[in-house]
Amino acid sequence: MPPKYHINTSRAANRFQLITKSGVMAWEEGCLKCARCVKKDCVYKVYEKRGLDTRQMLESLDSVCMDCFRCVQGCPNKLIQKGLNPAYKELGDHYWTPEIISGLWYQAEAGRIPVSGGGYGGAFSGPGFDAMWTDMSEIVRPTRDGIHGREYISTTVDIGRKVMALEFDQAGALSIDPPPVVEIPQPILFDLLPWSPPRKGINLAMLEGARSLGTFAIVRQSEFGPAMEEYLPNIALYVDGKLSDISPEILRKLRLIEIPYGKDAIAAQKKLKEEHPGLVTIIRMELAPDSSSNVFRLITEGAGAIHLVADEYGLEKSDKPLFIKERMREIHLHLVDKGVRDQITLIAGGGIAMAEHVAKLIICGADMLSVDIPLLVAMECRVCRRCKDGISCPVELETIDHLWGASRIRNLMAGWHNQLLEILGAMGIREVRRLRGEMGRAMFFEKLEKDIFSTLGKRG
Amino acid sequence: MAINTETQKLPEIKPLKSRFRNALSKYRVTITKSCNNCGLCVTLCPYGVYKAGSKKPRVIAEHLCLGFPCKEKEFYCVNRCPEKAIQLTLNPAFEILGDKRWSADLLASAWHMAETGEIPYQGLNYKTGNSGGGFDKLRFIFPKEKGPDLPDEEVSTAIELNRSGDSRPSVTIQVPFYFGGMSFGSVSIVTMLSRVKAAAALQTFCCTGEGGYPEELIPYDDHIITQIATGLFGVREETIKRVRIVEFKYAQGAKPGLGGHLLGDKVTARVASMREAVAGTALFSPFPFHSVYSVEDHKKHVDWIKETNYRALVSVKVSTPSDVDMVAVGSYYAGAHIVQLDGSYGGTGAAPDIAKKNIAMPLEYAVPKVHKFLSEEGIRDKVTIIASGGIRSAYDMAKAIALGADGVCLGTADLVALECIRCHHCESGRGCARGIATTDEELTKLMELEWATQRIINMYLVWRRQLIAILKRLGMKSVTELVGRFDVIGHLDYIKQEDLEGELEL
């Protein structure tokens, strides 16, 4: 496989014991010491490997148990039981579910995608991203080149304004100056974190992760410090102060800069372009009901890349908020309608929690995405949000070694990359740029339900 | 078209206990120290929960306990116990058992049917799971007035698989289902054989999956569908000639658009020799068929089988993309007798979670879409539609038929009858800890062939009985009358009891 498309992973062990879905409850009283559970029944040798994690004073039993119930069903005195772990149930919230969080932990630790036996065990459908399915093709398409063909699927995307046609002078030389674009190998940027414990180490882990993946981490100007200078080629600096406070040396080394949406945004972009022609400017705006008209106006005024940000549940800013997937569909189709969609790079973020969300949001019209919370979860965050209230982090995120954090982030992103390839491969699409806006290759719950189920039960 | 409805004798139910010492149950029954061993509970309980013991009675079958509804009965042991020594509680393990699709109730119901050959009475929901959509929100609408009460023997559950009108033989199965492909390698030889033997007993078929045709299967040739999938593992001319149905697997619902993957640990010497591969190496079945670029190429595939075996019917197993209706037409055009639609929530030995959840559409959409389209094209009568991928109960089966399938194909439910617990670890290490989806010699020994065969037979005989009961309530004499009857089925989000002439079953 060309190295360009491959992400090396290596196992990066958990620092804290996993919170698993269920726990083993074994009563000592009445135990016959027959050792049946240890010797005979447990295929996974859970009881033999049993130990105590002295750091947390936790039994190892639960984290290695594979839920086969052999010991429960084998114990002559019925002394072993399994029960739901209350700590698991309390992970995250309605959106950042325990299943999502533990799935992210697995990928960040193992650097592998979740594979399992048996069919899907989840809900038929759900809100948001769970209300769509992606397409597949039964027979050969160009991507399908043996089992390794999938590795030649390109996930590269470009950030920046695109010219729709090249123009040449009489002598045959290029007569226009195409604006710069920044190419990244995976359609994912690392976004500002909505909350976290003090993030000196966290920032460095994200930057190291971004560097090793060839992508960018968005860093607040106010948090930028000398320790980050070596990462400048992988930083998208977010201007949360005065543009004039950023030194020209730093701007020279930057390739991406992000400025907030506002009346001065286009003027700031122009100024940056004049002084640093190679720098690509992204305009960051909150996703809202009027986004499509605002985006269209920005395009006519010369914007090249717009970062649309929803909240951490994927909701836009409104009293009756639309979910990011719905709003992006509307924006994309509006721009297609206006004939300007291909000129702009749309980056969408907020509520991106799983690999499937990447593919689905691109289908709904984003060129690429920004992720935030999953990067923290990669470093064992439990989405308890206690840091928001200044309470100490249960997994001591402020103390992480940034290289460990970076390898966890790389593992997770490698997993997401691989899963994106699964989706693209099944659809027979050779590059992620062609996935953008392919709504005809997706199936939407609302439409299918109405088409199929509303006609049932009628006589005649 | 004449359907052979002459029912040969179906096998009998023989009750068979769990292979494990403690069956998993919804309720827990415990006898405390204050028991004076009077033995009253042993004589009271009609379900056989207790057995007399030397110091106190033993609780031997909690899973047969009626549970809290027993309070109303005069034999309720908890109240009658003179020492108040009996405690009845919910089993905490029941909370973590199963998942949204296969709820703990559905699992326990399947175990109950496989063990006793009876419909569960313990307050278990044996009709629907908790997935919140699809089958779990579809309900039958039964007419209010009862029709004449037919004897069960007069209701036919047989279906004809060759509806093409060509010169190939008629193949009738006595139940509207057959068993889907699970390869030797993904499951043990005992599992494979038990499914085949049960299929033969129920006068239907079982598919080999893609992993060869072990010689133990030869006595059951007439009840076997051999599969040709993209890896062509174990496909030989003589195996194609041996059977009455040959199946092309284009795609699989659990991992649509992706190939098969047998992890190295499960590739034992025997599995490897069957597949002409090397033991211990992971085996990939690539996706898709690289000889098929068009419907015309697909037709060549079908012709190839028809040439090799002049009496075989050809089945084409496909997944459910957005254009599944066109895929079905294409398969028909190419000469397939059977089109199997494998919905996206179907089973597998191993697949990426992202594929299982997201790629291709659920069966509940695909079946009516295809049925309508083929009907409009005027070819619905010429092809048999088999639905698979997420059929968990007799009710799912009946709903799939009402949505437009002629019959269904089953897999996971068989394994649940063998006490699969849906831990989802079929793929790892030595494979299934419960001795079903494994090739490990020691684990394979956890299950006896006769036991396994009978468990599958028991459960499906109950399914058949439930199907007959549904047909009778709808006033139908044959399962073929139920096909595509959109009017007898409603979706809870779109239909209200008060708007109906019939009775919505809740």
Side-chain angles (χ1 to χ4, degrees):
Chain A
M1 189 189 331
K4 184 176 173 183
Y5 296 131
H6 188 71
I7 303 170
N8 286 313
T9 59
S10 59
R11 203 182 150 77
N14 297 321
R15 299 199 305 158
F16 291 81
Q17 190 167 323
L18 277 178
I19 296 177
T20 49
K21 184 176 176 190
S22 62
V24 182
M25 298 180 282
W27 287 278
E28 301 292 328
E29 198 190 325
C31 173
L32 301 170
K33 309 283 178 209
C34 69
R36 191 189 152 110
C37 51
V38 184
K39 279 191 192 150
K40 192 159 168 236
D41 286 345
C42 188
V43 186
Y44 304 107
K45 308 264 181 260
V46 167
Y47 290 91
E48 277 175 34
K49 290 187 211 152
R50 187 173 187 174
L52 192 71
D53 175 357
T54 48
R55 183 180 156 131
Q56 299 165 83
M57 293 306 284
L58 285 173
E59 261 243 52
S60 72
L61 211 53
D62 297 337
S63 56
V64 264
C65 173
M66 305 277 271
D67 294 323
C68 75
F69 279 73
R70 287 279 308 278
C71 58
V72 176
Q73 292 195 262
C75 175
N77 270 2
K78 293 189 208 163
L79 295 173
I80 308 174
Q81 264 299 342
K82 289 223 61 173
L84 189 68
N85 179 1
Y88 180 83
K89 226 172 154 179
E90 277 160 24
L91 281 174
D93 55 34
H94 72 281
Y95 189 94
W96 296 87
T97 60
E99 289 75 25
I100 289 179
I101 293 171
S102 51
L104 294 172
W105 285 341
Y106 170 81
Q107 294 171 66
E109 184 189 16
R112 298 166 63 171
I113 73 172
V115 171
S116 61
Y120 174 60
F124 180 83
S125 68
F129 288 119
D130 286 348
M132 70 184 279
W133 294 273
T134 63
D135 207 4
M136 60 82 66
S137 115
E138 308 276 356
I139 57 173
V140 170
R141 297 214 175 211
T143 39
R144 302 287 175 58
D145 207 8
I147 56 166
H148 296 299
R150 62 192 283 286
E151 281 110 14
Y152 288 87
I153 298 173
S154 162
T155 56
T156 299
V157 290
D158 311 298
I159 309 171
R161 179 96 180 184
K162 320 274 187 319
V163 288
M164 290 298 99
L166 294 176
E167 286 165 32
F168 300 90
D169 61 20
Q170 297 258 304
L174 206 57
S175 66
I176 55 162
D177 187 16
V181 287
V182 170
E183 188 182 286
I184 55 172
Q186 196 176 185
I188 293 172
L189 292 180
F190 297 169
D191 205 355
L192 305 172
L193 297 171
W195 33 258
S196 78
R199 48 179 168 253
K200 200 167 154 250
I202 296 171
N203 276 339
L204 287 178
M206 284 170 64
L207 287 169
E208 184 65 39
R211 178 158 73 181
S212 74
L213 290 161
T215 185
F216 290 80
I218 303 173
V219 173
R220 288 179 185 84
Q221 175 189 2
S222 56
E223 284 179 30
F224 182 81
M228 299 185 189
E229 260 184 56
E230 60 164 310
Y231 297 106
L232 275 171
N234 295 91
I235 288 178
L237 197 65
Y238 177 65
V239 184
D240 63 347
K242 278 189 192 151
L243 194 53
S244 52
D245 289 348
I246 307 169
S247 75
E249 294 91 88
I250 287 175
L251 285 173
R252 252 200 303 283
K253 286 182 193 159
L254 278 176
R255 291 192 289 157
L256 284 180
I257 191 162
E258 187 164 277
I259 56 177
Y261 172 62
K263 58 180 182 350
D264 304 331
I266 291 294
Q269 178 182 306
K270 269 197 188 126
K271 185 168 182 287
L272 279 165
K273 196 178 174 198
E274 278 160 22
E275 289 167 14
H276 303 278
L279 186 61
V280 172
T281 304
I282 303 168
I283 297 173
R284 182 187 186 95
M285 65 194 284
E286 276 183 324
L287 195 69
D290 58 356
S291 288
S292 57
S293 53
N294 289 334
V295 168
F296 175 64
R297 190 169 36 78
L298 285 174
I299 296 173
T300 58
E301 289 169 3
I306 296 173
H307 185 181
L308 295 148
V309 188
D311 72 7
E312 57 196 84
Y313 302 105
L315 296 175
E316 65 183 4
K317 198 178 168 120
S318 162
D319 294 338
K320 284 186 185 161
L322 218 53
F323 189 67
I324 186 167
K325 137 179 169 270
E326 265 64 56
R327 183 57 69 204
M328 287 308 296
R329 282 170 77 181
E330 190 254 327
I331 297 172
H332 173 81
L333 292 173
H334 180 70
L335 299 183
V336 169
D337 205 34
K338 296 278 184 189
V340 295
R341 178 62 187 92
D342 284 336
Q343 297 176 29
I344 189 102
T345 305
L346 290 184
I347 306 160
I352 308 304
M354 301 170 83
E356 65 194 66
H357 299 171
V358 178
K360 287 178 175 177
L361 200 53
I362 292 175
I363 288 174
C364 290
D367 290 285
M368 53 188 296
L369 292 90
S370 62
V371 293
D372 41 30
I373 297 171
L375 305 173
L376 280 179
V377 179
M379 299 183 274
E380 295 186 305
C381 167
R382 295 174 180 173
V383 197
C384 64
R385 297 186 176 84
R386 284 196 276 186
C387 50
K388 265 174 103 173
D389 303 324
I391 304 172
S392 69
C393 174
V395 291
E396 299 162 23
L397 271 171
E398 64 282 3
T399 68
I400 57 153
D401 167 37
H402 76 280
L403 292 176
W404 172 85
S407 62
R408 298 272 298 196
I409 289 174
R410 187 171 54 240
N411 282 350
L412 178 64
M413 288 299 117
W416 282 25
H417 176 249
N418 246 317
Q419 291 171 83
L420 180 59
L421 295 187
E422 300 284 2
I423 298 267
L424 286 163
M427 291 171 80
I429 288 184
R430 192 167 36 185
E431 55 171 330
V432 77
R433 284 183 274 225
R434 292 176 60 175
L435 185 68
R436 189 255 279 152
E438 276 281 4
M439 292 173 221
R441 300 296 311 281
M443 294 161 268
F444 293 93
F445 170 77
E446 296 80 5
K447 184 176 186 312
L448 283 169
E449 284 278 304
K450 199 163 163 286
D451 287 357
I452 309 271
F453 292 147
S454 69
T455 61
L456 300 179
K458 311 260 191 305
R459 307 224 165 235
Chain B
M1 179 182 16
I3 288 180
N4 175 14
T5 48
E6 189 188 321
T7 315
Q8 295 148 24
K9 218 168 143 35
L10 285 168
E12 309 230 317
I13 283 168
K14 287 182 206 140
L16 275 179
K17 282 193 179 140
S18 167
R19 288 181 282 152
F20 303 104
R21 182 189 287 259
N22 315 319
L24 289 167
S25 57
K26 184 166 183 172
Y27 301 101
R28 290 213 84 188
V29 181
T30 33
I31 303 178
T32 62
K33 281 182 185 149
S34 46
C35 168
N36 64 3
N37 205 11
C38 69
L40 181 62
C41 52
V42 185
T43 47
L44 277 177
C45 181
Y47 306 108
V49 172
Y50 303 100
K51 192 180 171 188
S54 55
K55 287 184 193 144
K56 58 180 185 180
R58 279 169 47 215
V59 179
I60 54 160
E62 281 166 311
H63 64 298
L64 298 178
C65 171
L66 182 57
F68 299 138
C70 193
K71 276 178 191 157
E72 314 297 322
K73 310 282 185 191
E74 34 74 46
F75 50 74
Y76 184 47
C77 59
V78 178
N79 280 351
R80 297 281 300 272
C81 174
E83 301 299 323
K84 298 280 173 253
I86 302 173
Q87 285 174 354
L88 177 66
T89 51
L90 276 175
N91 184 354
F94 220 62
E95 206 183 350
I96 58 156
L97 210 56
D99 48 50
K100 287 195 165 101
R101 285 200 66 77
W102 275 91
S103 61
D105 276 28
L106 274 179
L107 289 173
S109 302
W111 295 330
H112 185 86
M113 291 187 255
E115 172 170 339
T116 64
E118 299 291 339
I119 293 171
Y121 51 76
Q122 305 93 320
L124 300 168
N125 180 355
Y126 55 86
K127 296 176 183 172
T128 49
N130 298 328
S131 77
F135 289 133
D136 291 344
K137 276 203 166 177
L138 291 168
R139 297 289 184 274
F140 277 103
I141 306 163
F142 293 118
K144 271 188 184 143
E145 60 280 8
K146 268 193 163 178
D149 196 19
L150 291 171
D152 279 12
E153 299 75 53
E154 285 184 28
V155 180
S156 166
T157 57
I159 62 168
E160 171 60 50
L161 296 177
N162 183 6
R163 295 152 57 97
S164 69
D166 67 5
S167 57
R168 285 174 190 252
S170 138
V171 176
T172 306
I173 50 177
Q174 294 303 326
V175 283
F177 55 80
Y178 58 75
F179 302 152
M182 284 185 215
S183 66
F184 175 59
S186 76
V187 295
S188 76
I189 189 73
V190 177
T191 306
M192 191 175 201
L193 264 175
S194 66
R195 297 179 76 228
V196 168
K197 285 185 68 163
L202 293 163
Q203 294 157 50
T204 183
F205 285 82
C206 178
C207 177
T208 56
E210 184 193 27
Y213 202 115
E215 59 190 26
E216 290 94 325
L217 304 188
I218 293 176
Y220 310 99
D221 280 349
D222 274 354
H223 296 281
I224 285 176
I225 301 172
T226 195
Q227 189 179 74
I228 302 174
T230 49
L232 301 177
F233 289 125
V235 175
R236 300 211 173 93
E237 193 174 328
E238 74 259 22
T239 62
I240 292 172
K241 284 189 162 159
R242 202 176 274 160
V243 294
R244 293 198 286 162
I245 305 177
V246 178
E247 170 179 302
F248 272 107
K249 185 183 95 170
Y250 275 84
Q252 184 178 341
K255 41 189 168 186
L258 314 175
H261 186 184
L262 188 63
L263 292 161
D265 287 337
K266 281 175 102 170
V267 185
T268 60
R270 174 135 196 243
V271 171
S273 82
M274 193 71 70
R275 296 182 182 221
E276 296 177 69
V278 180
T281 47
L283 296 178
F284 291 92
S285 194
F287 187 86
F289 277 115
H290 283 80
S291 42
V292 178
Y293 280 75
S294 64
V295 172
E296 289 73 22
D297 288 346
H298 167 49
K299 185 170 188 308
K300 276 182 210 156
H301 254 178
V302 175
D303 289 347
W304 160 48
I305 296 306
K306 287 185 169 174
E307 287 280 313
T308 311
N309 180 343
Y310 59 86
R311 66 186 178 110
L313 305 189
V314 178
S315 166
V316 176
K317 176 175 176 178
V318 294
S319 181
T320 51
S322 56
D323 57 349
V324 61
D325 37 7
M326 296 307 293
V327 171
V329 168
S331 300
Y332 164 77
Y333 160 80
H337 299 89
I338 303 167
V339 176
Q340 182 186 342
L341 303 171
D342 198 27
S344 65
Y345 293 153
T348 174
D353 289 353
I354 190 168
K356 289 200 266 195
K357 181 179 170 201
N358 299 295
I359 307 179
M361 69 168 97
L363 184 63
E364 295 93 321
Y365 298 138
V367 170
K369 201 170 149 85
V370 168
H371 174 77
K372 269 190 240 176
F373 192 72
L374 297 185
S375 302
E376 282 158 20
E377 293 290 307
I379 53 175
R380 180 63 188 87
D381 297 344
K382 300 284 176 204
V383 63
T384 303
I385 300 291
I386 296 292
S388 65
I391 309 263
R392 303 152 299 175
S393 67
Y395 280 76
D396 285 356
M397 168 170 73
K399 288 169 191 171
I401 294 171
L403 288 173
D406 292 294
V408 300
C409 180
L410 304 159
T412 304
D414 313 7
L415 303 191
V416 175
L418 304 181
E419 300 194 287
C420 162
I421 200 167
R422 302 253 313 155
C423 69
H424 299 278
H425 293 302
C426 346
E427 86 298 347
S428 61
R430 290 165 68 192
C432 174
R434 300 172 75 87
I436 303 165
T438 182
T439 51
D440 182 273
E441 266 186 46
E442 198 186 321
L443 289 170
T444 300
K445 286 185 194 141
L446 279 173
M447 200 162 66
E448 281 169 13
L449 180 58
E450 290 310 313
W451 178 90
T453 308
Q454 189 64 42
R455 291 272 297 198
I456 296 175
I457 291 172
N458 284 353
M459 185 179 79
Y460 287 126
L461 286 176
V462 186
W463 279 38
R464 179 171 180 271
R465 226 162 48 218
Q466 289 175 283
L467 177 65
I468 290 174
I470 293 169
L471 293 172
K472 277 163 59 170
R473 282 190 72 185
L474 291 168
M476 296 175 183
K477 278 190 163 179
S478 162
V479 69
T480 55
E481 292 174 48
L482 181 61
V483 178
R485 285 290 298 273
F486 297 168
D487 58 320
V488 301
I489 191 166
H491 190 281
L492 292 181
D493 288 352
Y494 294 95
I495 212 146
K496 298 279 170 292
Q497 177 73 68
E498 50 271 27
D499 303 336
L500 289 176
E501 286 166 40
E503 207 176 315
L504 197 62
E505 187 182 45
L506 294 173

